[in-house]
Amino acid sequence: MSKALAWIRKSKGDESDIGLKEQRELVRTLANDVADEVEVLDLGIHTGFSTMTRDDPAGLLDQNESVQERVNELQAGQYSHLVALDDRRICRDEYFSVIQYAATQGDAEIVYVGDVNEDDLTFDLKRRIERDTKEEEIEKSQRAIERRKEHGYDHGRPRFGMTYDADGHYQVPGEDFDTVLEIFQLDNAGDSRREIADAVGVPTSTVQNVLDRREWYAERGKMTNT
């Protein structure tokens, strides 16, 4: 039985964006056409850049746990197709070659809703131009991050189970914080990472990340969102 991975991502806008809704419909439709089963990686509004071209790993594509897991599954041969609107919706820098390699290793065909020029020179030039046009925006973002660091504020996407406080300064317990506490309880009871993941319904990588930051979560658990 064939299985397609539908890859959905948009750099700007919000979840109600018409372009994002249309992308979801088109990509899902094509995925259903080429495979018997479809799994969706819906990143919503998410940067298309990775640590291969950015210094700060906060919120970048290759730091996203879901992306890491899907790329590993691609390489392991769990999908027959990788489906996206176009190549830029998958990735906007050289990390695309990593995803492309994983698909090749796993014998998965990459198919697009729109036409894509596969020429390597065009591919590289297009991304270099895109990267150059975004440099000012990236520099502004980096300066903002530095200012937050100077004030001792958190930055980047909230960790699992967390959200930002009302002032947007610190990460505090969010809707899924009960799951964080459950992970700690199951770990204390001697359950394996896989057993914990199955019990709470999150990837094993999320379980590991939470356990690696046990002290940090314990401190933040004392804070409330006011």
Side-chain angles (χ1 to χ4, degrees), residues 186-203:
L186 293 172
D187 180 63
N188 291 337
D191 287 12
S192 69
R193 302 297 190 261
R194 171 52 62 188
E195 289 172 336
I196 296 174
D198 291 342
V200 302
V202 300

Side-chain angles (χ1 to χ4, degrees), residues 157-170:
R157 292 194 172 203
R159 291 174 177 172
F160 179 79
M162 308 299 288
T163 188
Y164 273 97
D165 61 21
D167 294 324
H169 293 163
Y170 301 103

Side-chain angles (χ1 to χ4, degrees), residues 7 17 28 32 38 63 76 79 91 127 191 208:
W7 190 298
D17 196 311
R28 288 171 188 263
N32 280 311
V38 175
Q63 298 297 311
Y79 303 102
C91 182
R127 275 156 184 75
D191 287 12
Q208 187 63 57

Side-chain angles (χ1 to χ4, degrees), residues 15 26 55 98 130 160 175 204 220:
E15 288 297 327
L26 292 172
D55 293 331
V98 176
E130 289 172 348
F160 179 79
E175 292 182 0
T204 53
R220 294 310 175 95

Side-chain angles (χ1 to χ4, degrees), residues 205-218:
S205 57
T206 299
V207 172
Q208 187 63 57
N209 286 336
V210 169
L211 293 176
D212 287 344
R213 299 177 175 89
R214 184 187 292 267
E215 293 183 3
W216 184 88
Y217 275 107

Side-chain angles (χ1 to χ4, degrees), residues 76-126:
Q78 294 188 26
Y79 303 102
S80 58
H81 297 80
L82 170 58
V83 184
L85 188 68
D86 56 42
D87 56 340
R88 291 179 299 169
R89 297 308 188 277
I90 296 177
C91 182
R92 297 177 70 91
D93 65 11
E94 286 82 347
Y95 184 59
F96 180 83
S97 62
V98 176
I99 300 170
Q100 194 174 41
Y101 175 78
T104 300
Q105 290 294 105
D107 198 26
E109 179 184 359
I110 302 178
V111 293
Y112 304 111
V113 174
D115 294 331
V116 173
N117 190 333
E118 298 289 351
D119 180 76
D120 289 340
L121 180 60
T122 303
F123 171 86
D124 183 63
L125 179 60
K126 179 170 60 178

